[in-house]
Amino acid sequence: MNRTVDIIKKQRKATEAAKEKLKEFNRMKKAITNALREGPATIPQIAGKINEPTDKVLYYLMTMYKFGMVEVDSIDDMDEYYLYRLKKQENKQ
Amino acid sequence: MLEPKKHYDVLVIGGGIAGQETALNLANLGYKIALVEKDYSIGGKMILLSKVFPTLDCAACITTPKVSETARHPNIDVFTYSQVEDIFKQERGFRFTLRQKPRYVTEDCTGCQLCEQVCPVVVEDEYQYGLIGRKAIFIPHSIANPRIAAIDIEHCTLCGLCENVCPPKSIDFTQQERVDEIYATAVVLATGYKLFDPTIIKRYGYGKYKNVVTAMQMERQLVPTRPFNNILRPSDGKVPDNIAYVLCTGSRDVTLGNPICSQVCCMYSTKQAQLLMGALPMADVTLYYINIRAFGKGFCEFYQQARSMGVGYVKGKVGRIFEKEDGNLILRYEDIETGEVAEAEHDLVVLSIGILPNKDYQNLFKNVRVEHDPYNYVRQVDELTSPARTSVDGVFVAGTASGPMDIPDTILSAGAASSETASYLRKVYKEIQPSLS
Ligand SMILES: Cc1cc2nc3c(=O)[nH]c(=O)nc-3n(C[C@H](O)[C@H](O)[C@H](O)COP(=O)(O)OP(=O)(O)OC[C@H]3O[C@@H](n4cnc5c(N)ncnc54)[C@H](O)[C@@H]3O)c2cc1C
Ligand code: SF4
Ligand code: SF4
């Protein structure tokens, strides 16, 4: 297949910023997915497990939610924090 | 990319509600319009709002029919992700350069979003004001028009995955920018406003304290296609139950260079407070204000309604915000009624950021100068009898490009701009060919 991306690749290279963003998402996605394999969890619980700040976990978890990788499981007894779980197809992997 | 005509009756710069309304009115009179929008889609700020005060109509429901009418109108050529440069006033009309930038996706895109699924790069989503991420290839937002993806080439790793999956083969990395020289008889400036950047007020901690957000971020949280699964505070995903608003953030403050009232913050905060009470029935919402300005039709009643729903109004000037370890925030404010300094704790703080002039118009023209008013908005040379006229004959202004205003006033202003432009066109064309008009 003739791809136009192969043409542009001769003219320019991926920026460092692009490579950084790719790496960071992959790393966070993997960590969050592993944490959720143990069962549904709130954002502070995930953050505790993977040792990352809660705001960063929220940002990536909610991005994964948008792209259909995670879903809402329930809300805690205090009605304060939601618990999230992996979507079915992710579970099987 | 659209092949532009050589000549248009009117160049409208800016595709917000003001630009669309002006373009539609003039197009319905038979004039040919070039509508140039710098963003990937038209709609301006309004298309990103939740509901509108004081009627609480859904913003998307009002604005999307207008957006599609603009996009489909046979007399309007819409140029998105494009810019106007080097406008020269000529004996009759204007000559300008139109630059259409590559989005690396062609008009064949069906908006299926398969590319978004496979793209491996996540970047802050500007249409959700950074609350979540988007991919390097993305449809701007759920109701974007045109609904065509775009590639953020600065954050693209050139992996080609999007091109592999795109069903209509609409990814085109060879797309180049297109530059044309065009003529228009008249110009309408509908370039809108800029939002105040609250990082400037260090005392409020925006950017540092994650639970201090802007009203625009709250608008996005109140839209059904919200960034999170519910309204959550950004530090840790807690459902907030005690929310504060700091009104006049960046407005009516000489030290910040913006001494004027933004006209909409009191009312949009009052609107958001009502919507929050509906969405989070257990939540307390408190507005810290200097004066409440509820001057428009139905505004005072809207404000009374919020009070009767239980929204707290504290006449207090917030001096500083402190963050506690649990992410809660302490607001230190001067109680204007008693003159005393008081403190209150909240778990989410919304800054009701003001409206600032968009000065783009000041660099567009090469041989004439569109004058500005004392606050850097486009100067209305005859505000009382001809509100759309500017200091340049044939250049008109619509909407918030001439000063802060709400949507109803923007529509009125666009109405004035279109009728003044139409009578200008008739006059000019009569001079050229008296028999025709
Ligand atoms: C948080 C918030 C909530 C609000 N809620 C309400 C509400 O409930 N009810 C209400 O009545 N009002 C509300 N408003 C006010 C409302 O947003 C404005 O009245 C309205 O959007 C003004 O429309 P406009 O077309 O003048 O400007 P904009 O919406 O700013 O549109 C300007 C357009 O021009 C484009 N542009 C700018 N420069 C250029 C250039 N150089 N070349 C090409 N294109 C350019 C921009 O990309 C944009 O698309 C709210 C405002 C805020 C900040
Ligand atoms: S080529 Fe760029 S936009 Fe396309 S999938 Fe790869 S990183 Fe994303
Ligand atoms: S670029 Fe292709 S894959 Fe992406 S939304 Fe458009 S049609 Fe779908």
Side-chain angles (χ1 to χ4, degrees), chain A residues 5, chain B residues 115 118-121 136-137 151 155-163 173:
Chain A
V5 70
Chain B
C115 52
V118 297
C119 176
V121 185
I137 184 164
I151 293 175
H155 289 109
C156 168
T157 58
L158 308 177
C159 69
L161 288 174
C162 54
E163 195 168 2
F173 280 101

Side-chain angles (χ1 to χ4, degrees), chain B residues 126 309 406:
Chain B
E126 54 271 55
M309 282 170 77
D406 58 20

Side-chain angles (χ1 to χ4, degrees), chain B residues 38-50:
Chain B
K38 70 173 173 189
D39 207 344
Y40 292 108
S41 54
I42 56 172
K45 315 272 192 320
M46 184 180 173
I47 204 160
L48 298 174
L49 301 179
S50 54

Side-chain angles (χ1 to χ4, degrees), chain B residues 228-281:
Chain B
F228 310 147
N229 58 293
N230 194 352
I231 296 158
L232 304 176
R233 61 177 204 173
S235 77
D236 60 358
K238 177 177 177 280
V239 181
D241 62 14
N242 190 358
I243 304 158
Y245 277 79
V246 180
L247 270 64
C248 293
T249 303
S251 310
R252 304 171 66 195
D253 190 336
V254 186
T255 61
L256 296 170
N258 185 32
I260 60 172
C261 166
S262 288
Q263 311 254 342
V264 291
C265 319
C266 288
M267 282 302 111
Y268 76 55
S269 306
T270 297
K271 165 190 79 177
Q272 291 190 359
Q274 293 191 26
L275 296 175
L276 278 169
M277 298 200 82
L280 306 170

Side-chain angles (χ1 to χ4, degrees), chain A residues 4 15 54-55 80-82 84, chain B residues 154 163 229-230 235-236 239:
Chain A
T4 61
T15 61
T54 47
D55 61 297
E80 280 187 337
Y81 292 94
Y82 285 94
Y84 301 90
Chain B
E154 287 309 310
E163 195 168 2
N229 58 293
N230 194 352
S235 77
D236 60 358
V239 181

Side-chain angles (χ1 to χ4, degrees), chain B residues 13-19 36-39 41-46 49 51-54 82-84 190-195 215-216 219 264 267-268 271-272 299 353-355 358 360-361 364 398-401 405-408 410:
Chain B
I13 309 175
I17 187 70
V36 182
E37 168 57 55
K38 70 173 173 189
D39 207 344
S41 54
I42 56 172
K45 315 272 192 320
M46 184 180 173
L49 301 179
K51 299 197 173 181
V52 290
F53 62 75
S82 299
Q83 63 196 51
V84 171
T191 41
Y193 64 95
K194 291 232 144 91
L195 290 165
M216 209 61 199
E219 283 292 333
V264 291
M267 282 302 111
Y268 76 55
K271 165 190 79 177
Q272 291 190 359
F299 288 10
I353 49 171
I355 281 181
N358 173 6
D360 282 6
Y361 71 92
L364 288 173
T400 51
M405 65 183 83
D406 58 20
I407 295 160
T410 301

